[in-house]
């Protein structure tokens, strides 16, 4: 049985906002009877992109996290809605019946991810439909996936072991709130965690220190990496708000030890080793 | 009524347009079928990369239907209320007058009678007309189309465009290594496969391909850079701002102060000399005058070795980092991704940018450009393995009359009876002061000395005349030219007796017109085109995964009372008595059919099928296709073999050479010895020269301590989409809505913000002696200290006091702040990328 889902790879998302605008292009002012009423011409974000800037000058990167309805297998909105307006199809798509839902503002609060929005003009709760009206006509994917230029959005049948999306899920994906335990079918790879980075310098000769060992220690243990050709190191995918110690050793130099806490991504700056 | 799909093309990608009941409902990319063909694959480092089987659309084109139906569309012909062509004209009210609706007959009668009156009173040279650089896409309707053909026949002062996207390359690197037919940049054939197979590292110097190398090619090459990452090909970015591509994929980001890139380049060269890691063979065999330049770099000429320690305080990058980058660069086979058809992140528009651009070629020469895996690769955004020999037509293939490709009588270059010219960058001075002098014939792509030609306005003698009438066809220079409050003053000059604005939307300059003619978008008429194919000076620079020719089908009827541009000029030509010459009896579709016939399309598809289907994908290269990689022929000492149609040396006895006096890459720009031997601002030997408004400018930097940078915008193709597509205002990196108004972002570093009491989201005012512009602060670590980053080309000129040239602008046209001064005294380019400003929190 087909069970539609999507995997979003944050590392591959370039932050082009194609998905955001494409969703609006499909739905703003366009009715799909039986599936969805039109979005208003502006204001709704069934697919939105969150921009997360990480680090401090000059060690900075930006992650973009597209967010949409996860069409959960055990969706809170389906479970809690007493009116039957929100329902899950056999293929896993979760829809809000635009007729049955009319006037019911209470539906908006049912999603802990806040993916249900209110259309004031139509007095209607609305959300992403996974472009079910297109899938049912034979399109291979929703429009957001179609317009993604980097391949960050992958869509398909989660129950088809040969599908790319199933393979990605098997390799390990995550959700933003595992504690909701709703069987989200839009899952993520590479959701941003925290990094600790720095640049090591040999103080006596004013050169970057390449290929030397840097050891990071936290509650979960230690790991080691070598500085690269720019003297940089970066430990990624670390815990949020955790304490870490960084130890840098180079033969002939006094070892350096720094401590930090990952309340945000940390660039420790230039760490100058002295003889 | 059932839905119907049409094929058309935006400025950022081809579009499948769905129409229902005469209304555009949505636009989608194209999924290519097996039958469409155009497949390719590249085997590289144990992996196989194949062409995506769907096209992409650049972000700003996805909401294209809202541009078509924008509330900013001009619906009816309008006349300025206080303009009476038979009485008082009140030019001083331009910019703050009201408009009344008139009929097309009334509008065209006024335009026609004004054309006749001005010609009678002052001569044909008293009229000028100009188009936007980037209007609605389509071969026939683009900038070299209906307007120039009309005015070539009528006779007018042609406005010469400064080579805006390429300034430093055009005025500088052209003299280092030729390539004058491409603005001093090389071509980019077959680069993708070469990079995937053989390159180990890419240095992106002042490029942001995920932002603007998209250009006409949409997001086509985004996937290429994901492939580079997949193969572990390193990425070093050099840009004062951590641009969109850098923020996504940089392994190392270097942020020199704006305008100090040439100093950084010199220091890198110094390190390569000291480490002795550069390609001696290439220098000895393929370049000249290296030893003289090497002496300069080593400090033997002026006593100042251009070491990383020397560059460090100039660039504000530690010397040890400069050294490390220089060593990493030379330790691997590296592509230098700089320049590109789309000029991207802007260092080529700095003052003295000629020096940095030439130095990029110096560094490429020291790498041994053209050997395996090593090249200049314009923004990593060109060079898929496509059949570039399939004959199509590009909009700049025929100079300023694209109809000339198929007309019995092309009107360019000889039909225009007027020999007087005026220069776009200095048009306001021309009108206001009555006289300008400059060098060069605009896009100087015909021969290297063309840009040295002394020009003046008015033309001396009986055929010269001051301009009295402007006919403007689309576009918005207040956002894209320099020191642009002078454009407001210009329009208000009593010397300009008549101004007509022809456009689809109300833009920054529309409200300075006396008569306004509503034009239709490309979706409201037909055209023919190839996706992303400029032809001419950009031939072969298709930055897409396929070559696709399109029959741009008419999707809807012209909206309100708008008319397609070709029709407007036909009606004017008829009134002026030259309709037959203008059209040669051809309808819009007749021209399309004639263009179809000169391409290779008829070999593959009938006209009827092409018109019905709307597109044709150029077939794949044959299995035994041999790539012709740019510059590889030069490295190997072979005759040039790329399909660059405009290389004049191809198939001649000089075919193994660069188009320089010596035939080689020149470390001294010897052509300048003859023309400008004493020019300190563009010296024979390239060198770092500080910005004329930069961190070293005493007396000014104390007052305006921030350096602004204004690269090409991300979510609008220049002014084309901004302020017409409201959805873009919901993207915070494009505009920030505060108190109900969509402001232009102004980015600064947290330290600079805090020092000024500015928080993220505050309304701020950027200012200097020239202007005051409002925006909303976007506080970000992506800005190096001392930098104010704000994209150019905000299309909303919204003065708090309409009609006052010195008014604060609320809309975010940062180019109001920029200086009039040229790139340098003999390089007449726009130098509006970086200059001094201050910013403060704005209290109304």
């Amino acid at each position: 049985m087909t069970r539609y889902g999507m995997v979003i790879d944050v590392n591959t998302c370039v932050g082009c906002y194609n998905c955001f605008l494409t969703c609006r292009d499909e739905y703003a002012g366009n009715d799909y009877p039986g599936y969805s009423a039109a979005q208003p011409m502006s204001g709704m974000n069934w697919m939105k992109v969150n921009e997360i800037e990480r680090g401090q000058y000059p060690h900075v990167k930006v992650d973009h996290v597209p967010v949409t309805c996860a069409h959960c297998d055990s969706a809170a909105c389906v479970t809690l809605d007493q009116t039957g307006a929100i329902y899950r199809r056999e293929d896993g798509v979760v829809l809000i019946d635009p007729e049955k839902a009319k006037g019911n503002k209470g539906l908006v609060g049912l999603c802990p991810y806040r993916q249900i929005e209110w259309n004031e003009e139509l007095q209607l709760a609305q959300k992403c439909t996974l472009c079910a009206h297109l899938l049912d006509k034979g399109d291979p994917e929703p429009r957001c996936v179609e317009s993604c230029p980097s391949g960050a959005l992958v869509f398909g049948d989660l129950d088809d072991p040969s599908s790319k999306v199933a393979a990605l899920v098997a390799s390990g994906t995550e959700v933003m709130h595992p504690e909701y335990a709703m069987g989200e079918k839009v899952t993520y790879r590479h959701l941003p965690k925290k990094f600790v980075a720095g640049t090591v310098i040999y103080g006596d000769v004013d050169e970057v220190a390449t290929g030397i060992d840097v050891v990071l220690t936290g509650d979960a243990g230690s790991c080691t990496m070598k500085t690269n050709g720019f003297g940089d190191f970066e430990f990624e995918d670390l815990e949020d708000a955790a304490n870490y110690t960084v130890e840098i050793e180079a033969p002939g130099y006094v070892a350096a030890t720094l401590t930090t806490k990952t309340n945000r991504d940390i660039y420790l700056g230039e760490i100058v080793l002295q003889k | 009524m059932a839905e119907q799909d049409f094929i058309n093309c935006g400025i950022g990608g081809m579009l499948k347009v769905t129409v229902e009941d005469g209304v555009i409902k949505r636009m989608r990319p194209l999924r290519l079928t097996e039958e469409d063909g155009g497949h390719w694959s590249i085997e590289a480092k144990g992996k196989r990369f194949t062409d995506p089987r769907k096209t992409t659309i650049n972000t700003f084109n996805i909401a294209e239907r809202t541009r078509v139906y924008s509330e900013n569309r001009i619906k009816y012909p309008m006349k300025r209320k206080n303009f009476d062509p038979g009485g008082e004209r009140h030019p001083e009210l331009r910019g703050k007058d009201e408009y009344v609706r008139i009929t097309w007959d009334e509008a065209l009668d006024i335009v026609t009678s004004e054309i006749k009156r001005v010609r009678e009173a002052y001569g044909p040279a008293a009229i000028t007309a100009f188009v936007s650089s980037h209007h609605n896409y389509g071969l026939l309707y683009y900038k070299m189309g209906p307007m120039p053909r009309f005015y070539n026949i009528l006779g007018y002062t042609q406005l010469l465009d400064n080579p805006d996207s390429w300034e430093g390359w055009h005025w500088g690197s052209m003299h280092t290594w030729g390539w004058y037919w491409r603005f001093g940049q090389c071509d980019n054939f077959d680069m993708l496969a070469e990079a995937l197979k053989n390159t180990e590292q890419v240095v992106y110097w002042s490029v942001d391909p995920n932002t603007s190398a998209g250009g006409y090619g949409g997001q086509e090459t985004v996937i290429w850079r994901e492939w580079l990452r997949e193969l572990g090909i390193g990425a070093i970015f050099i840009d004062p701002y951590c641009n969109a591509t850098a923020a996504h994929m940089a392994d190392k980001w270097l942020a020199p102060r704006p305008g100090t890139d040439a100093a950084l380049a010199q220091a890198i060269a110094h390190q390569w000399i000291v480490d002795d890691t550069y390609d001696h063979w290439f220098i000895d065999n393929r370049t000249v005058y290296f030893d003289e330049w090497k002496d300069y770099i080593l400090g033997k000429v002026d006593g100042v070795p251009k070491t990383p320690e020397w560059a460090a305080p100039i660039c504000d990058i530690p010397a040890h980092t400069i050294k490390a980058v220089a060593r990493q660069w030379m330790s691997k086979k590296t592509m230098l991704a700089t320049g590109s058809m789309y000029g991207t992140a802007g260092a080529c528009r700095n003052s003295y940018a000629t020096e940095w651009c030439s130095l990029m070629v110096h560094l490429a020469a020291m790498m041994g450009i053209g050997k395996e895996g090593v090249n200049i690769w314009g923004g990593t955004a060109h060079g898929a393995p496509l059949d570039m020999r399939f004959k199509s037509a590009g909009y700049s293939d025929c100079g300023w009359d694209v109809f000339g490709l198929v007309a019995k009588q092309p009107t360019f270059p000889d039909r225009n009876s007027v020999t007087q010219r005026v220069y776009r960058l200095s048009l306001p001075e021309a009108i206001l002061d009555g006289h300008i002098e400059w060098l060069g014939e605009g896009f100087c792509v015909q021969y290297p000395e063309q840009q040295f030609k002394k020009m003046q306005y008015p033309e001396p003698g009986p055929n010269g005349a001051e301009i009295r009438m402007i006919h403007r066809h689309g576009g918005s220079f207040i956002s894209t030219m320099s020191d642009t409050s002078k454009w407001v003053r210009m329009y208000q000059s009593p010397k300009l007796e008549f101004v007509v604005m022809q456009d689809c939307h109300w833009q920054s300059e529309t409200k300075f017109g006396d008569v306004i003619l509503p034009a239709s978008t490309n979706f409201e008429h037909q055209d023919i085109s190839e996706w992303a194919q400029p032809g001419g000076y950009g031939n072969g620079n298709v930055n897409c995964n396929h070559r696709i020719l399109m029959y741009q089908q008419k999707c809807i009827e012209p909206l309100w009372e708008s008319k397609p541009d070709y029709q407007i000029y036909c009606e004017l030509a008829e009134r002026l008595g030259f309709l037959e010459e203008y059209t040669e009896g051809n309808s819009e579709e007749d021209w399309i059919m004639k263009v179809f016939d000169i391409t290779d399309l008829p070999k593959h598809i009938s006209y009827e099928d092409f018109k019905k289907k709307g597109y044709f994908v150029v077939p794949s290269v044959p299995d035994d296709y041999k790539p012709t990689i740019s510059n590889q022929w030069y490295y190997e000492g072979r005759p040039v073999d790329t399909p660059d149609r405009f290389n004049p040396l191809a198939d001649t006895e000089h075919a193994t050479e660069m188009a320089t006096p010596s035939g080689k890459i020149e470390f001294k720009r010897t052509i300048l010895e003859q023309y400008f031997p004493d020019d300190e601002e563009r010296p024979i030997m390239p060198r770092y020269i500080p910005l004329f408004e930069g961190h070293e400018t005493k007396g000014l930097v104390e007052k305006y301590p921030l350096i602004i940078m204004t690269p090409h915008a991300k979510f609008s193709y220049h002014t084309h989409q901004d302020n017409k597509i409201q959805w873009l205002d919901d993207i915070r990196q494009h505009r920030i809505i505060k108190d109900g108004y969509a402001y232009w972002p102004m980015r600064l570093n947290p330290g600079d913000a805090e020092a000024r009491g500015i928080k993220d989201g505050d309304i701020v005012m950027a200012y200097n002696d020239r202007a005051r512009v409002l925006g909303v602060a976007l506080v970000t670590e992506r800005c190096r200290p001392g930098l104010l980053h704000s994209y150019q080309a905000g299309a909303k000129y919204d003065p708090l006091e309409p009609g006052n040239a010195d008014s604060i602008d609320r809309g975010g046209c940062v180019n109001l702040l920029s200086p009039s001064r040229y790139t340098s005294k003999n390089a007449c380019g726009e130098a509006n990328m970086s200059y001094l400003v201050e910013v403060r929190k704005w209290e109304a």
Side-chain angles (χ1 to χ4, degrees):
Chain A
M1 184 68 225
T2 305
R3 194 165 62 97
Y4 288 127
M6 194 190 301
V7 172
I8 300 177
D9 188 337
V10 171
N11 258 4
T12 308
C13 176
V14 296
C16 68
Y17 288 80
N18 274 18
C19 53
F20 162 73
L21 285 174
T22 297
C23 181
R24 288 218 180 155
D25 179 61
E26 182 67 12
Y27 294 98
N30 290 330
D31 286 320
Y32 300 105
Y35 297 92
S36 55
Q39 268 187 23
M41 278 314 286
S42 75
M44 280 211 169
N45 304 301
W46 295 0
M47 170 60 101
K48 69 183 289 196
V49 178
N50 288 337
E51 181 189 294
I52 300 167
E53 185 177 293
R54 308 173 61 197
Q56 296 85 51
Y57 176 82
H59 194 107
V60 186
K61 51 184 164 178
V62 178
D63 279 337
H64 292 90
V65 183
V67 179
T68 186
C69 165
H71 295 271
C72 309
D73 278 341
S74 313
C77 60
V78 173
T79 311
L80 295 172
D81 168 35
Q82 303 294 316
T83 70
I86 311 183
Y87 63 99
R88 182 188 180 284
R89 300 189 340 173
E90 271 197 26
D91 59 8
V93 178
V94 176
L95 292 177
I96 303 177
D97 185 324
E99 300 298 316
K100 286 190 188 160
K102 198 129 179 146
N104 186 350
K105 198 163 183 183
L107 297 176
V108 172
L110 298 184
C111 174
Y113 284 112
R114 297 196 298 279
Q115 291 303 303
I116 301 178
E117 299 181 72
W118 180 246
N119 183 330
E120 179 65 30
E121 194 196 343
L122 297 181
Q123 291 290 298
L124 195 55
Q126 297 185 298
K127 68 171 190 69
C128 162
T129 63
L130 214 52
C131 288
H133 65 287
L134 293 177
L135 299 176
D136 289 350
K137 278 198 285 193
D139 272 328
E141 56 200 5
R143 280 204 57 193
C144 53
V145 180
E146 178 180 82
S147 72
C148 176
S150 67
L153 306 182
V154 177
F155 172 87
D157 180 359
L158 295 167
D159 287 343
D160 174 1
S162 70
S163 75
K164 189 167 178 214
V165 73
L168 287 171
V169 171
S171 75
T173 62
E174 54 180 323
V175 298
M176 287 196 260
H177 290 281
E179 68 276 16
Y180 295 163
M182 295 194 298
E184 292 90 322
K185 294 207 300 297
V186 175
T187 59
Y188 291 90
R189 283 165 54 84
H190 305 116
L191 279 175
K193 309 291 186 303
K194 291 291 186 288
F195 69 71
V196 171
T199 308
V200 186
I201 311 294
Y202 290 129
D204 60 329
V205 292
D206 192 31
E207 295 275 7
V208 303
T210 67
I212 65 165
D213 285 335
V214 182
V215 179
L216 178 94
T217 306
D219 288 339
S222 282
C223 54
T224 307
M225 68 183 304
K226 289 194 185 298
T227 54
N228 65 17
F230 307 106
D232 293 334
F233 64 88
E234 183 188 273
F235 294 93
E236 252 284 25
D237 294 321
L238 301 177
E239 296 291 315
D240 185 35
N243 292 302
Y244 291 97
T245 306
V246 172
E247 289 161 290
I248 305 167
E249 274 197 27
Y253 290 86
V254 176
T257 303
L258 301 93
T259 57
T260 188
K261 186 173 184 188
T262 52
N263 290 330
R264 54 180 188 163
D265 297 281
I266 300 289
Y267 176 61
L268 293 167
E270 293 197 331
I271 302 153
V272 183
L273 300 181
Q274 303 295 355
K275 282 232 170 237
Chain B
M1 212 195 100
E3 287 184 346
Q4 207 183 343
D5 285 344
F6 297 90
I7 296 292
N8 209 297
C9 196
I11 203 135
M14 63 179 301
L15 298 159
K16 189 174 71 165
V17 182
T18 304
V19 176
E20 188 183 352
D21 292 334
V23 178
I24 297 174
K25 305 300 278 180
R26 68 185 73 83
M27 301 197 189
R28 289 173 76 167
L30 204 68
R31 305 195 93 92
L32 300 180
T33 64
E34 271 309 297
E35 193 188 42
D36 283 331
H39 297 84
W40 50 262
S41 72
I42 297 171
E43 311 268 342
K45 297 170 182 154
K47 298 202 176 197
R48 191 161 172 267
F49 302 96
T50 59
D51 65 300
R53 296 306 292 172
K54 55 182 177 177
T55 64
T56 60
I57 304 174
N58 209 345
T59 313
F60 41 71
N61 271 154
I62 288 176
E64 189 71 352
R65 68 172 164 111
T66 66
R67 186 177 76 89
V68 175
Y69 294 106
S70 166
E71 61 185 34
N72 278 343
R73 280 293 293 268
I74 303 170
K75 298 181 181 175
Y76 312 108
M78 309 289 274
K79 185 189 80 68
R80 190 163 62 83
K81 184 170 164 195
N82 285 290
F83 170 80
D84 176 4
E88 294 300 315
R89 291 170 182 253
H90 289 290
E92 75 283 358
L93 294 179
R94 291 186 182 125
K96 57 183 170 182
D97 211 337
E98 291 169 42
Y99 285 86
V100 296
R101 180 178 168 180
I102 55 177
T103 66
W104 266 106
D105 272 338
E106 287 171 314
L108 294 175
D109 281 347
I110 295 174
V111 175
T112 312
S113 62
E114 281 296 296
I115 286 175
K116 286 179 181 166
R117 181 189 68 78
V118 168
R119 285 165 61 87
E120 179 79 13
Y122 305 105
I127 300 176
T128 192
F130 43 94
V131 296
S132 159
S133 292
H134 300 288
H135 212 5
N136 298 284
Y137 198 72
L139 177 77
L140 295 173
Y141 276 81
Y142 212 57
K143 55 178 167 169
M144 274 92 165
M147 185 228 83
R149 182 173 175 81
F150 174 89
Y151 274 102
N152 286 339
I153 295 173
L154 186 71
Y156 76 127
T157 292
Q158 186 186 349
L159 182 102
L160 298 173
D161 287 341
N162 57 299
D164 41 13
S165 287
W166 313 278
E167 303 287 8
W169 305 101
H170 173 275
W171 305 99
S173 58
M174 189 189 288
H175 309 306
T176 298
W177 69 337
W179 296 104
Y180 52 84
W181 57 98
R182 289 183 177 273
F183 302 109
Q185 295 181 342
C186 62
D187 54 22
N188 284 275
F189 294 102
D190 287 319
M191 288 283 206
L192 175 63
E194 177 64 10
L196 291 172
K197 287 179 207 243
N198 295 317
T199 296
E200 294 163 327
Q201 181 174 249
V202 180
V203 173
Y204 297 80
W205 201 321
S206 188
V207 283
D208 187 6
N210 282 357
T211 286
S212 51
Y216 308 140
Q219 306 268 22
E220 289 286 286
T221 65
V222 165
I223 192 72
W224 298 3
R225 286 175 286 286
E226 296 309 306
W227 295 341
L228 294 173
R229 294 173 80 203
E230 196 182 322
L231 290 179
I233 295 170
I236 299 172
F237 280 80
I238 303 176
D239 190 325
Y241 175 67
C242 188
N243 66 45
T245 319
H248 173 64
M249 62 184 276
D251 295 313
K252 186 66 177 175
W253 168 43
L254 278 194
R257 277 200 184 92
T260 63
D261 304 81
L264 182 59
Q266 290 181 167
I268 289 171
H270 188 283
Q271 196 60 45
W272 293 348
I273 292 167
V274 157
D275 291 344
D276 199 19
T277 46
Y278 62 93
D279 190 328
H280 281 258
W281 179 88
F282 188 90
I283 293 296
D284 292 343
N285 289 280
R286 297 285 182 262
T287 76
V288 286
Y289 312 120
F290 176 77
D291 286 336
E292 258 189 78
W293 180 68
K294 180 176 143 192
D295 281 350
Y296 172 76
I297 294 294
L298 292 175
K300 294 182 185 172
V301 173
D302 60 1
V304 181
K306 307 298 178 285
T307 60
E309 288 78 8
W310 162 83
I314 296 171
C315 304
D316 193 28
I317 297 174
H320 49 245
T321 303
I322 296 174
K323 276 186 216 168
V325 168
R327 287 181 175 137
Q328 276 293 106
W329 183 333
M330 204 43 110
S331 71
K332 301 183 183 180
K333 290 192 224 165
T334 299
M335 285 280 185
L336 173 54
T338 191
S340 85
M341 259 306 287
Y342 303 107
T344 61
C348 65
R349 278 184 299 288
N350 272 325
S351 44
Y352 313 119
T354 49
E355 307 312 285
W356 169 68
C357 290
S358 279
L359 286 165
M360 288 297 94
V361 180
H362 288 206
L363 295 189
M366 293 175 85
M367 294 189 326
I369 183 174
K371 71 184 179 213
E372 191 182 83
V374 175
N375 225 310
I376 282 185
W377 187 17
T380 73
H382 311 280
L386 304 175
D387 178 6
M388 300 312 299
R389 289 174 171 81
F390 184 100
K391 186 163 185 276
S392 81
Y395 62 77
S396 67
D397 271 341
C398 202
W400 287 90
D401 177 13
V402 73
F403 295 92
L405 284 171
V406 295
K408 291 186 206 130
Q409 288 299 327
T411 67
F412 186 84
D414 298 321
R415 182 64 178 88
N416 187 358
S417 60
V418 173
T419 45
Q420 174 172 279
R421 299 286 178 266
V422 76
Y423 200 46
R424 172 176 67 175
L425 199 45
S426 308
L427 181 66
E429 287 92 330
I431 304 295
L432 293 167
D433 302 338
H435 176 84
I436 56 167
E437 290 173 14
W438 76 97
L439 297 172
E441 292 179 320
F443 282 15
C444 301
V445 294
Q446 287 170 26
Y447 54 98
E449 296 87 349
Q450 191 181 15
Q451 59 175 257
F452 303 151
K453 196 167 164 193
K454 285 190 164 60
M455 308 284 287
Q456 59 176 308
Y457 158 94
E459 181 188 278
N463 297 326
E466 282 199 68
I467 287 164
R468 304 289 173 177
M469 170 182 158
I470 288 177
H471 183 161
R472 199 211 205 303
H473 176 132
S476 241
F477 289 158
I478 292 181
S479 323
T480 56
M481 290 291 114
S482 298
D483 199 3
T484 50
S485 59
K486 62 189 179 183
W487 285 79
V488 176
R489 277 182 257 276
M490 175 191 83
Y491 283 120
Q492 291 171 340
S493 167
K495 285 203 205 162
L496 283 182
E497 297 176 5
F498 181 58
V499 178
V500 53
M501 296 288 180
Q502 178 172 330
D503 207 340
C504 305
H505 298 87
W506 292 92
Q507 304 217 61
S508 300
E509 290 161 64
T510 317
K511 287 203 174 137
F512 293 90
D514 300 320
V515 168
I516 298 176
L517 305 177
S520 307
T521 69
N522 49 298
F523 301 96
E524 297 154 66
H525 58 75
Q526 302 178 112
D527 207 332
I528 185 171
S529 66
E530 178 183 349
W531 186 7
Q533 174 62 276
Y537 50 74
N539 84 87
N541 273 4
V542 168
N543 56 349
C544 305
N545 287 301
H546 306 92
R547 288 190 66 188
I548 304 183
L549 284 84
M550 283 165 279
Y551 193 109
Q552 292 184 207
Q553 298 161 337
K554 177 173 163 178
C555 306
I556 55 172
E557 291 301 316
L559 290 176
W560 298 289
E561 289 191 10
S562 74
K563 296 186 185 194
D565 292 303
Y566 182 64
Q567 188 183 340
I568 296 174
Y569 290 109
C570 281
E571 295 187 25
L572 285 171
E574 185 173 27
R575 282 167 156 79
L576 291 163
F578 61 88
L579 178 66
E580 178 59 35
E581 186 181 353
Y582 184 65
T583 65
E584 297 187 351
N586 293 312
S587 66
E588 176 189 82
E589 182 160 351
D590 289 331
W591 288 113
I592 291 171
M593 283 174 68
K594 290 180 154 71
V595 172
F596 174 89
D597 283 336
I598 64 162
T599 69
D600 279 343
L601 283 170
K603 297 179 188 168
H604 299 269
I605 187 171
S606 72
Y607 175 79
E608 289 68 34
D609 286 346
F610 179 62
K611 181 180 175 183
K612 184 156 180 257
K613 185 171 184 202
Y615 72 94
F616 176 78
V617 180
V618 170
S620 312
V621 293
D623 289 335
D624 59 353
Y625 171 70
K626 294 222 168 6
T628 56
I629 295 154
S630 299
N631 296 309
Q632 195 177 74
W633 54 273
Y634 182 71
Y635 183 86
E636 294 177 2
R638 294 182 284 109
V640 57
D641 57 357
T642 63
D644 178 6
R645 289 187 286 121
F646 285 79
N647 183 340
L649 304 181
D651 304 319
T652 71
E653 57 187 347
H654 298 285
T656 61
E657 297 173 12
M658 291 285 171
T660 59
S662 64
K664 296 184 177 176
I665 295 177
E666 301 194 349
F667 280 82
K668 279 195 312 182
R669 297 175 288 207
T670 59
I671 198 175
L672 297 177
E673 277 171 346
Q674 189 192 341
Y675 290 88
F676 305 106
D678 304 311
D679 186 352
E680 291 292 309
E681 298 185 6
R682 183 180 51 181
I684 313 297
M685 190 175 299
R687 63 189 61 184
Y688 165 64
I689 301 173
L691 292 177
F692 50 65
E693 278 188 28
H695 76 283
E696 301 184 36
T697 313
K698 292 199 189 349
L700 201 60
V701 70
E702 297 84 356
K703 216 169 145 193
Y704 305 119
L706 296 174
I707 307 179
I708 191 172
M709 69 180 281
T710 60
H712 283 14
K714 181 162 174 60
F715 292 105
S716 178
Y717 198 106
H718 300 302
T719 59
H720 201 51
Q721 280 79 22
D722 177 56
N723 201 34
K724 300 154 205 67
I725 295 182
Q726 186 275 324
W727 296 347
L728 295 173
D729 298 346
D730 293 328
I731 298 173
R732 203 163 184 266
Q733 289 287 353
H734 182 69
R735 282 192 180 267
I736 299 173
I737 297 177
K738 175 117 182 173
D739 302 331
Y741 189 88
Y743 289 91
W744 199 244
M746 294 186 171
R747 298 169 186 77
L748 61 167
N749 181 278
D752 292 327
E754 194 184 324
R756 291 162 174 78
I758 291 172
K759 290 195 165 43
D760 189 276
D762 282 346
I763 300 173
V764 294
M765 180 175 80
Y767 63 96
N768 56 21
D769 288 339
R770 291 179 286 269
R772 295 165 294 165
V773 179
L774 302 185
V776 163
L778 209 165
V779 180
T780 170
E781 298 278 359
R782 292 164 70 177
C783 276
R784 60 150 293 116
L787 172 70
L788 186 75
H789 177 290
S790 196
Y791 290 114
Q792 50 91 271
K796 180 164 62 175
Y797 176 57
D798 189 14
L800 294 184
E801 303 158 70
N804 178 356
D806 295 315
S807 166
I808 293 172
D809 168 48
R810 200 182 183 201
C813 295
V814 293
N815 282 34
L816 289 161
L817 296 158
S818 65
S820 283
R821 224 170 122 168
Y822 291 151
T823 306
S824 68
K825 68 171 184 270
N826 296 312
C828 304
E830 59 185 81
N832 52 17
M833 167 69 165
S834 289
Y835 45 89
L836 293 176
V837 297
E838 177 56 293
V839 70
R840 68 164 189 255
K841 196 167 163 186
W842 168 248
E843 319 282 1

